[in-house]
Amino acid sequence: MATDTALYKSPSTSHVVRVTAGLGVTQLISWGTVFVPPPIFAASIAQDLQIELETVFLGITVMLLVSALVGPTLGRILDKVGSRQPMIYGALGASLGFLLLGSAPNTFVFWSAWIVLGLVAPLVLSNGCYAALSQLAGHRSRRAISSLTLFSGSAIAIFYPIAYFLDETIGWRSACLLFASLHLFISTPIFLSLIPRSKDAFASSAPPPGVHRPLEGQRRAVAFYALFILMAIHALVSNGLLLNFINLYEAFEIDKGVAVRVIALAGVLQILARLADILLSGRYPATVTILLSSLLQVLALLAILPAPSPAWIATLVIGICLSNGLMAIARAAVPLALFGTRAYGEVMGQLSFPFNVMSALAPLIFAKLILASGPMAALHVATCLSVVGLVACFCVFETWRGRSGKRSRSDTARHSFRMGADRHEDVISDDRGRSVPERINQP
């Protein structure tokens, strides 16, 4: 059977590194300008626009909710037309959003700016870059996407002091105009130079040897809805507790300075957890990463329930941050492993909906719960939710294992023989789903 091997191009390592590093710079800019400044600029914005401080913080909530609504549609566009044009428009839209925010004379323009940022957030934040890497990096997508999370995870450490310095020196309005220029003059040229014009230039989505076909039919549906539930619960628990961490410490009458030091240590450990997963990603499947993340969240909560002392609360925060570090990778890598690259943008857009909605609502939900019922009640609720999330995670894991177990012994033996005979062969599938070897460099 003749096969068009042009469809199965494998990108070079240097190409993947260059694309990942370039998109990583855009992630630093996007996460560092959208999420870091509002808490730092909040007092200045409230005073300047004569609004309540809480209203300023609602800006990110509005952006996340708008992003959740448009995410699936933008994901389908990324799959259909490629990532170049949508991401360029996303960077231009982000620049417009910060121009509106920096020049806002009233609350109407203030809210309009956050709505604009919400409309383009799926393109300039993680989902857009994940979709681009899934198209450009071929079978190296998992490690490339995992590496990208190091950039987004470092945004707070880099942009927090920058935003504080800008607020003290040039003011929040000039800082927003500076952020607009970063999207316009740095992110946009990166998208223009690194992302090809034609989808024909994309790397192959064909799996390398040993990688199974994407889930289909009922297994795909079960895995998708289990992931949907898991993403919602994990975002609700982790964001609800971490963003109310100071409130928890004060409720247990623990020194605030200790809380700040613990959260700083936990942030460093979170980045180290991501780095460790990236270095070891070739040794185990992505489903193991998401299982470890869910287990860490449950164990950290169970450990604190008998004795909510400062040491155990520190353990809770460190455990949740480590869980978050792994989940940031798993959110991108697991859909890629289970569902493939063909509709990856749409799947990520759909799965980002529960994550964004719960991320937006979680701080308010847990703040009210702590205020109304006390910190222990909030921890009990979080524990129950995380156990449900772990059950959903096991469902995803078992669905993946069931799919993996379908290969016969003869298939496994043939695959092992091919790997030993020729390291340059890939396993691709014909139109009937049968595995056939094909040389990547065959003319």
Side-chain angles (χ1 to χ4, degrees):
M1 172 182 170
T3 305
D4 183 8
T5 56
L7 295 177
Y8 300 99
K9 297 186 293 293
S10 179
S12 66
T13 301
S14 60
H15 170 75
V16 174
V17 170
R18 185 170 63 253
V19 171
T20 304
L23 294 180
V25 172
T26 70
Q27 289 296 278
L28 275 176
I29 292 172
S30 297
W31 284 99
T33 57
V34 172
F35 283 93
V36 174
I40 299 172
F41 296 167
S44 302
I45 294 174
Q47 182 179 7
D48 198 353
L49 297 180
Q50 297 183 347
I51 56 178
E52 296 293 330
L53 195 62
E54 292 79 4
T55 304
V56 179
F57 286 101
L58 281 175
I60 287 185
T61 301
V62 170
M63 184 203 69
L64 287 172
L65 292 175
V66 172
S67 176
L69 291 174
V70 302
T73 299
L74 292 177
R76 285 191 292 271
I77 292 173
L78 287 167
D79 291 329
K80 183 177 180 180
V81 306
S83 49
R84 179 185 171 89
Q85 288 300 119
M87 294 182 72
I88 291 171
Y89 290 139
L92 295 175
S95 182
L96 173 62
F98 279 108
L99 283 174
L100 288 173
L101 187 61
S103 59
N106 50 48
T107 54
F108 175 79
V109 179
F110 173 81
W111 292 118
S112 299
W114 284 110
I115 291 172
V116 170
L117 290 172
L119 290 172
V120 301
L123 299 175
V124 298
L125 294 177
S126 297
N127 283 3
C129 288
Y130 292 161
L133 281 177
S134 74
Q135 296 166 351
L136 298 172
H139 66 265
R140 294 183 174 90
S141 296
R142 180 190 170 187
R143 177 162 289 186
I145 289 172
S146 299
S147 301
L148 199 65
T149 65
L150 287 177
F151 289 90
S152 57
S154 304
I156 293 179
I158 294 174
F159 270 83
Y160 193 95
I162 291 175
Y164 182 82
F165 173 78
L166 293 175
D167 187 45
E168 292 290 318
T169 53
I170 64 176
W172 72 275
R173 289 187 181 275
S174 297
C176 286
L177 299 180
L178 177 61
F179 295 158
S181 67
L182 292 179
H183 287 276
L184 182 62
F185 297 114
I186 297 181
S187 294
T188 302
I190 288 176
F191 295 147
L192 283 167
S193 62
L194 290 182
I195 304 177
R197 292 179 179 275
S198 172
K199 288 189 70 175
D200 294 338
F202 292 161
S204 167
S205 60
V211 177
H212 298 272
R213 293 170 61 86
L215 291 174
E216 296 177 351
Q218 184 178 1
R219 288 185 179 276
R220 180 185 177 91
V222 169
F224 176 83
Y225 287 113
L227 267 180
F228 191 95
I229 293 170
L230 174 59
M231 297 299 180
I233 290 176
H234 195 277
L236 176 61
V237 172
S238 60
N239 286 289
L241 292 179
L242 287 178
L243 295 178
N244 284 284
F245 177 50
I246 301 297
N247 292 339
L248 281 174
Y249 255 66
E250 291 177 346
F252 287 118
E253 299 181 351
I254 299 171
D255 182 61
K256 185 176 179 180
V258 176
V260 173
R261 289 193 292 273
V262 169
I263 200 70
L265 172 62
V268 173
L269 293 176
Q270 176 174 306
I271 295 176
L272 292 178
R274 296 185 187 189
L275 181 60
D277 186 85
I278 292 167
L279 295 176
L280 300 174
S281 60
R283 301 188 180 185
Y284 56 85
T287 45
V288 173
T289 301
I290 202 169
L291 185 59
L292 287 174
S293 173
S294 299
L295 277 171
L296 275 171
Q297 188 180 78
V298 172
L299 292 176
L301 283 160
L302 289 175
I304 194 178
L305 293 182
S309 63
W312 282 114
I313 294 179
T315 302
L316 168 68
V317 173
I318 290 172
I320 289 180
C321 282
L322 289 174
S323 173
N324 275 356
L326 295 176
M327 184 58 74
I329 295 175
R331 280 202 314 270
V334 170
L336 187 67
L338 297 183
F339 310 125
T341 60
R342 180 162 297 179
Y344 182 70
E346 181 178 2
V347 170
M348 286 300 296
Q350 292 169 340
L351 291 176
S352 70
F353 180 84
F355 178 81
N356 286 337
V357 170
M358 288 304 171
S359 296
L361 300 178
L364 179 62
I365 291 173
F366 272 86
K368 289 186 176 298
L369 184 58
I370 293 171
L371 184 63
S373 304
M376 286 307 299
L379 292 174
H380 281 106
V381 169
T383 303
C384 292
L385 288 171
S386 67
V387 170
V388 175
L390 181 60
V391 172
C393 184
F394 272 115
C395 184
V396 173
F397 189 77
E398 287 301 315
T399 303
W400 169 81
R401 276 213 320 167
R403 183 274 308 273
S404 299
K406 281 189 172 292
R407 286 206 310 176
S408 67
R409 292 183 179 180
S410 59
D411 289 338
T412 303
R414 284 196 300 271
H415 167 68
S416 299
F417 175 78
R418 284 195 300 268
M419 287 292 289
D422 192 338
R423 296 285 182 180
H424 298 289
E425 287 185 343
D426 265 5
V427 178
I428 60 177
S429 301
D430 63 14
D431 55 354
R432 296 183 183 179
R434 298 173 299 187
S435 295
V436 293
E438 186 77 51
R439 294 184 185 275
I440 293 176
N441 297 322
Q442 177 179 336

